[in-house]
Amino acid sequence: WAEARATAERAPRQRGGHRGGHLTPVSVPLSSALGLTLAAPLIALTDLPSFDTSAMDGWAVSGPGPWDVREEGVLAGHTAHAPLTDGEAVRIATGARIPPDTTAVLRSEHGRTDDSGRLHATAATRAPHTVSHGQDIRPRGQECRNGDQLLPVGTLVTPPVLGMAAAAGYDTLTVVPRPRAAVFVLGDELLGEGLPHDGLIRDALGPLLPPWLRALGADVVDVRRVGDDEDALHQALTACEADIVLTTGGTAAGPVDHVHPTLRRLGAELLVDGVAVRPGHPMLLARIAEKRYLVGLPGNPLAAVSGLVTLAEPLLRTLAARPAPEGYTLPLRDAVQGHPHDTRLVPVALRGDRALPLLYNGPAMLRGIAAADALAVVPPGGAKPGYEAELLDLPWASGGIGVCFT
């Protein structure tokens, strides 16, 4: 199982493209960059702040007090004002440009004007009529200088990164785009609506997979039903231009399992053909063209989820140049029965400092994963209570920036 995940993660690095295996960078407006990864360092295009500014509402003062106060104040966004003379002050707003020859900014709560309109410093921590040179002034270049590297390549674009970029003068960012994903739901037995009847069952993966893929950072460009017909599957794959195609079902060797024959017709390179994991061992990964991949998921819902986190997630992460999540473990509250030879992925709920294995974890069941916060990696042979299990967070439980269900 671990080898299969590693194979999926490194697959895009083995054939052309960028050394890191990610998609070709693009330039996008700030409004479209959230959740993407920087493909170029964020370099300051100006000093920040770009001029001396007031850090507080109050008065800009020159020399020791008391001070004569100018009538016209200084507001943020206005042009430069005349220099202050010694013993002079002017009302100033937070963020406003400091007039030349200003000694300091006296906060509103630290000053008062007398009956003749002269300004006095009243802060108890200072001697009368004095201010510290430069107090409450943000000097030009305090945060950065023009040309400084603010953030390196590989940084995930979060809301604060967008704010930093805007402050530094950017209108666009060079980023790695979202991989384009297509979902082909295979099977003649699937219903799109209504109750199961007459041997037909509801399609659970059509509603489940697209939002999960979006949460992993993919741009889902196509979701379609494909019948149990090899020619139909071949035609759909030939016409599809997505970076990654996910199929559901048809990965075993039954009479209507057409994925393997279709991959042979396409001349695809089979990278993973079965994984020692339960549920989901018939999953597969293939390179169907240069820089294009197919992840074959089993048809049972929880088995498909297993294939999604085993093969699709690391593949998408490399294509999008997204950082790998930090691994962690928690002790299992209860024992988990294991497979004699294969790894098991078991839905768990996080309860304090322990992971509670959930029932209804069979390959065809979704009741357990619907209540889960994570999947626990259970080694062959099972695990006893207290076993420190590796956990794979589910995207909506970890609350990452890439979570988007719309």
Side-chain angles (χ1 to χ4, degrees), residues 24-47:
T24 302
V26 295
S27 179
V28 301
L30 296 186
S31 59
S32 301
L34 184 66
L36 303 181
T37 301
L38 291 182
L42 192 71
I43 304 297
L45 304 180
T46 182
D47 296 344

Side-chain angles (χ1 to χ4, degrees), residues 19 33 38 44 64 76 78 83 90 110 131 187 190 232 235 245 267 271 296 313 339 350 370 385 390 406:
R19 183 177 180 182
L38 291 182
H78 289 229
V90 64
H110 291 167
V131 291
L190 301 176
Q235 182 179 355
V245 179
L271 304 176
E313 187 274 334
H339 185 273
L350 304 186
E390 177 187 355
T406 59

Side-chain angles (χ1 to χ4, degrees), residues 46-320:
T46 182
D47 296 344
L48 287 180
S50 54
F51 46 81
D52 293 348
T53 62
S54 176
M56 292 288 172
D57 291 334
W59 296 269
V61 301
S62 180
W67 302 272
D68 294 322
V69 182
R70 284 184 187 173
E71 290 187 5
E72 184 179 355
V74 180
L75 300 177
H78 289 229
T79 57
H81 285 249
L84 292 177
T85 59
D86 198 36
E88 191 178 23
V90 64
R91 264 289 185 181
I92 195 166
T94 302
R97 188 170 188 166
I98 295 293
D101 298 329
T102 295
T103 301
V105 170
L106 181 66
R107 301 186 187 192
S108 296
E109 61 269 27
H110 291 167
R112 65 170 179 84
T113 53
D114 60 23
D115 293 341
S116 62
R118 303 200 80 200
L119 174 65
H120 300 262
T122 60
T125 57
R126 298 187 182 92
H129 314 313
T130 63
V131 291
S132 300
H133 188 84
Q135 77 180 45
D136 289 326
I137 293 176
R138 293 188 64 214
R140 177 174 181 164
Q142 181 185 52
E143 186 169 3
C144 67
R145 290 292 185 180
N146 185 10
D148 286 351
Q149 178 172 302
L150 303 175
L151 295 168
V153 170
T155 299
L156 188 67
V157 179
T158 62
V161 170
L162 292 176
M164 178 82 262
Y170 284 82
D171 298 316
T172 63
L173 289 175
T174 301
V175 293
V176 179
R178 291 178 176 85
R180 297 165 301 160
V183 177
F184 294 168
V185 180
L186 311 183
D188 292 335
E189 76 281 12
L190 301 176
L191 292 170
E193 60 183 15
L195 292 172
H197 62 87
D198 300 327
L200 302 177
I201 60 173
R202 279 296 296 270
D203 168 27
L205 294 177
L208 181 152
L209 290 174
W212 198 317
L213 290 168
R214 294 188 189 102
L216 294 176
D219 180 13
V220 181
V221 297
D222 190 12
V223 181
R224 68 173 70 182
R225 294 274 299 280
V226 179
D228 286 324
D229 180 272
E230 183 180 332
D231 290 335
L233 178 58
H234 181 269
Q235 182 179 355
L237 288 174
T238 302
C240 181
E241 297 183 354
D243 302 302
I244 174 174
V245 179
L246 289 94
T247 59
T248 68
T251 56
V256 292
D257 290 336
H258 300 304
V259 174
H260 281 93
T262 302
L263 291 175
R264 287 193 289 270
R265 286 177 65 181
L266 292 171
E269 179 185 2
L270 204 54
L271 304 176
V272 174
D273 189 12
V275 177
V277 66
R278 303 298 170 117
H281 64 283
M283 67 181 74
L284 62 85
L285 170 64
R287 184 182 285 111
I288 55 178
E290 193 70 27
K291 303 179 186 177
R292 292 183 58 229
Y293 300 88
L294 181 141
V295 175
L297 303 177
N300 280 324
L302 190 58
V305 166
S306 176
L308 192 63
V309 300
T310 300
L311 298 178
E313 187 274 334
L315 176 64
L316 285 168
R317 180 165 20 93
T318 298
L319 291 173

